[in-house]
Amino acid sequence: PTKKRKTGLLGPGNELYDATGLVTYYTEASQVPDHLQKYFSQRTRFFSLYDSGCLLDDEGWYSVTPEAVADQIAERCRCTTILDAFCGVGGNAIAFARTCERVIALDTSPTRLALARHNATVYGVADRIEFILADYLSFARKLASSPSRKIDVVFLSPPWGGPSYLSGVDTQDAPEVTTHPDFSLASVQPVHGKELFDLTRLITPNVAYYLPRNTRIQEISSLLDNVDGVDVEGASTVAGKKRKRDDGGERIEIEEEWMGNKLKALTCYFGGLVEGQEHLF
């Protein structure tokens, strides 16, 4: 006889996608380990529907993109098919499912992939996301050598090395103006950030690269050989501020992602995702 699945946080009818029990679902601060307390206080910024049963593992708590930022990026990345190369617990994939026709979400962790599908079910968008347990480097190399599907945009949010990317500074509660050591693309995991970018550009010119707020701008500029980055423009957005770098060739657009008065990250747009370069899409 078929074993009956227990009904969890997702409720009746969603047992197949329910990841209840894989990680602890915290409802009160007193339940949360000390090292996660500062993240738990931000839970509804990460997932506005957290109280409806969203689940995160330890890595998810400190790496998930805040929902307002994820929505901002998704609006910029509107397309038919987007590949989320490091989907984690699904924050960005959920946002992409609201602006793109199809989302391919990869992760190497079966647990995080299950959590991502669980969270997408909470938001009612799981049917628009294809969850694949795979290593992005292998997946991308295979796709580049023999493309079996058309990918319009790739979103790169690779591991930054954990909260230590700011050398121990509290990433959630740091003051607005603080000097941190520059973050180098050499610290991106699982390979150098430049190698990751070059591989991705074999799939599509349209790349959105999510990086720490203290990333060396010159390294971002050098991702394209014909871009040195000399001009900076500022323009306000819902969750970010834009800076364009251009030397007459292909441009890179760098969006500063702000939450209130705190700079959280940079999203770097390439190819047809840059305003005025739609012809490259």
Side-chain angles (χ1 to χ4, degrees):
T2 303
K3 184 177 179 181
K4 187 177 181 180
R5 295 175 179 266
K6 293 182 179 179
T7 300
L9 290 168
L10 297 182
N14 292 310
E15 291 84 357
L16 182 62
Y17 293 166
D18 203 313
T20 302
L22 283 183
V23 296
T24 302
Y25 176 59
Y26 303 115
T27 57
E28 299 178 9
S30 60
Q31 303 169 326
V32 183
D34 289 344
H35 69 286
L36 295 179
Q37 284 283 345
K38 61 190 177 186
Y39 304 111
F40 179 71
S41 66
Q42 305 287 322
R43 61 194 180 281
T44 56
R45 287 189 177 184
F46 299 150
F47 289 110
S48 62
L49 297 184
Y50 178 85
D51 292 339
S52 296
C54 291
L55 295 171
L56 302 87
D57 63 350
D58 277 19
E59 182 172 323
W61 277 110
Y62 63 73
S63 64
V64 66
T65 304
E67 187 171 303
V69 175
D71 288 344
Q72 168 77 13
I73 296 169
E75 186 62 36
R76 289 290 305 272
C77 292
R78 280 184 177 272
C79 64
T80 300
T81 302
I82 188 167
L83 172 60
D84 185 351
F86 305 89
C87 80
V89 296
N92 289 101
I94 290 168
F96 290 139
R98 294 196 287 258
T99 62
C100 303
E101 293 182 17
R102 184 185 183 201
V103 182
I104 301 172
L106 306 185
D107 207 278
T108 57
S109 165
T111 296
R112 281 193 294 279
L113 209 63
L115 297 179
R117 189 169 65 171
H118 173 107
N119 294 334
T121 304
V122 171
Y123 278 81
V125 296
D127 60 330
R128 305 189 70 175
I129 306 173
E130 181 181 358
F131 297 95
I132 301 177
L133 181 65
D135 167 64
Y136 173 66
L137 298 181
S138 300
F139 189 90
R141 289 179 185 127
K142 183 176 181 181
L143 197 59
S145 61
S146 56
S148 57
R149 60 183 90 187
K150 172 92 163 46
I151 305 295
D152 298 303
V153 176
V154 173
F155 175 66
L156 295 176
S157 180
W160 299 344
S164 61
Y165 76 90
L166 284 177
S167 299
V169 175
D170 185 334
T171 61
Q172 296 300 320
D173 302 317
E176 178 184 1
V177 180
T178 307
T179 301
H180 307 302
D182 287 345
F183 179 88
S184 171
L185 292 179
S187 297
V188 167
Q189 298 173 5
V191 296
H192 192 292
K194 175 73 162 88
E195 182 180 345
L196 184 67
F197 176 79
D198 288 344
L199 174 60
T200 301
R201 289 275 288 196
L202 296 177
I203 300 172
T204 176
N206 312 310
V207 180
Y209 207 157
Y210 191 69
L211 291 166
R213 65 188 190 227
N214 55 326
T215 303
R216 295 171 183 166
I217 299 300
Q218 196 61 35
E219 288 193 29
I220 297 173
S221 297
S222 65
L223 286 171
L224 293 179
D225 291 338
N226 66 334
V227 177
D228 290 324
V230 292
D231 297 327
V232 178
E233 297 180 7
S236 62
T237 63
V238 173
K241 298 177 181 178
K242 301 176 184 178
R243 292 184 286 176
K244 294 180 181 178
R245 298 190 163 264
D246 182 13
D247 70 345
E250 182 180 343
R251 291 180 298 160
I252 301 171
E253 190 170 334
I254 302 172
E255 185 172 80
E256 297 177 342
E257 308 297 0
W258 291 78
M259 294 293 291
N261 64 350
K262 296 173 184 176
L263 177 60
K264 294 297 183 181
L266 304 176
T267 308
C268 309
Y269 296 101
F270 299 84
L273 296 177
V274 176
E275 184 178 352
Q277 286 186 172
E278 292 80 5
H279 64 284
L280 296 178
F281 199 91

